[in-house]
Amino acid sequence: VLNQDLVLRVSKSVDPSAFDIIKYEGFLDALCGQREYQKEAIRNTLFYLLGGNYNNLSQLAEENYHSNVNLQTLYGSFEQYKKHLQFPNKLSCSLDMATGTGKSYVIYGIARIMLAEGAVDHVLVVCPSTTIEDGLMEKFKLLSGDEALRNLLPEDAAIKNPHIINATESITTGTICVENCHALYEHVKSSIRESLAGKGKRTIVINDETHHVYNQTGKSFKKWKEFLIDGEFGFKYILGLSGTCYIGNEYFTDVITRYSLREAIEEGFVKIIDYVAEDTSNTQDEKFQKIYDNHIENKNTKYRLLKPLTILITKDIRACNKLTDDLIQFIAEMEDISEEDASKKVLEVTSSPKHKTNLRKLADVDRNDSPVEWITSVSMLTEGWDVKNVFQIV
């Protein structure tokens, strides 16, 4: 069974007096441009949440189960299928969108329309790391400052201009609050618990990289799921987005929209990957030489106007420290410069406190006046890190 055969179909037969998407077409065109798949994901989600055809995920799942032979073959009975639903009693769902296809625009579009419709008073966007939080905050503030976008919302919009905040401020009516999942802890000083207690019916929670919630890897992600089902809030709307909608090898059971990596590459929205499966280098120097030659070809020939970056990823901080030192030494020798000058070209990014300032420098690595050409990291930059100029990953 292919993943697309398991995607739940949402009825588009919606009474315009309940929800009229036509009012928002101009806004969606301006927000998404040529990316039709983003508009489709936003429309589909809103038909599900606001169309009045479903009270919860369980109803949508049952409707699909009885009309989808693949679901019947896979689960045998609706009761069995229902056991695999994460939040069956809530209006919840997942959107499967490949990395690099602009999930943040979909999040923002859904948030703005839910507020404009008066369906919710607050939007809480939860993500797994501060890197992603910073990226979302920056993008949302930019979009909220766009007057043309604001003017395309209907005249009678309940909330036309939401306030973009994080949980250091109180979450009041008309706010989009962006936070990383660590702020959901009960002992953490954040406004989330205090602001949203008892207000779950008037709040939509949007989980970015929602595979963390479903897979429960690590303590913080267990807390994330506990927060979503906590009766203290009683959340009605729960939406998740991910490019990896799997629990182990099993595809999520609540996906309503899918835009795969293959589609994104074929339609030209994501770069084609030239994948090198095996490396026959005998020594680290030989390996560095190949990586370096490829980097220089990218820099001087293929992408001369862009300042291409190379990123090298290691398994842990210790390995990263060693690799960084070795790489700096290698660049110094190759370019006949001092190790001090070579070190300016290499940015080491890990969760170690000594690299805290480097995290801030990440935001500028695409700029031509940044000396950084090489980034070494532990696998903390694998999601939600929007840098356009990475052309080689090792």
Side-chain angles (χ1 to χ4, degrees), residues 251-291:
Y251 196 58
F252 282 7
T253 50
D254 62 355
V255 174
I256 64 165
T257 287
R258 183 168 195 267
Y259 188 66
S260 69
L261 188 57
R262 179 173 289 176
E263 287 173 282
I265 290 171
E266 281 173 1
E267 292 178 13
F269 292 114
V270 169
K271 293 171 193 159
I272 294 167
I273 311 294
D274 182 14
Y275 184 64
V276 182
E278 228 165 282
D279 178 37
T280 52
S281 307
N282 294 315
T283 64
Q284 177 156 286
D285 260 22
E286 209 179 306
K287 192 175 274 192
F288 272 159
Q289 189 66 56
K290 286 180 187 172
I291 296 163

Side-chain angles (χ1 to χ4, degrees), residues 99 147 152 157 216 225 259 274 298 307 315 317 357:
T99 300
E147 204 177 328
L152 286 164
Q216 301 278 292
K225 186 170 182 184
Y259 188 66
D274 182 14
N298 283 342
K307 200 194 90 156
K315 63 174 181 166
I317 294 175
T357 54

Side-chain angles (χ1 to χ4, degrees), residues 3 12 21 24 34 129 132 151 157 193 228 230 251 263:
N3 288 342
K12 291 181 170 59
I21 190 68
Y24 296 100
Q34 301 301 306
S129 70
I132 299 178
N151 290 338
R193 292 187 166 268
L228 296 173
D230 193 335
Y251 196 58
E263 287 173 282

Side-chain angles (χ1 to χ4, degrees), residues 153-216:
L153 287 169
E155 275 302 305
D156 60 351
I159 293 162
K160 213 168 183 181
N161 194 18
H163 192 33
I164 311 294
I165 63 165
N166 63 19
T168 53
E169 294 179 52
S170 289
I171 306 169
T172 52
T173 297
T175 51
I176 298 175
C177 176
V178 182
E179 257 305 343
N180 70 78
C181 62
H182 305 284
L184 307 176
Y185 281 19
E186 283 178 43
H187 64 269
V188 171
K189 266 197 163 64
S190 99
S191 65
I192 293 174
R193 292 187 166 268
E194 200 182 318
S195 300
L196 298 180
K199 295 179 183 168
K201 283 189 171 59
R202 301 287 304 160
T203 303
I204 180 169
V205 185
I206 305 178
N207 303 298
D208 194 13
E209 309 297 356
T210 194
H211 50 273
H212 292 300
V213 180
Y214 287 11
N215 282 287
Q216 301 278 292

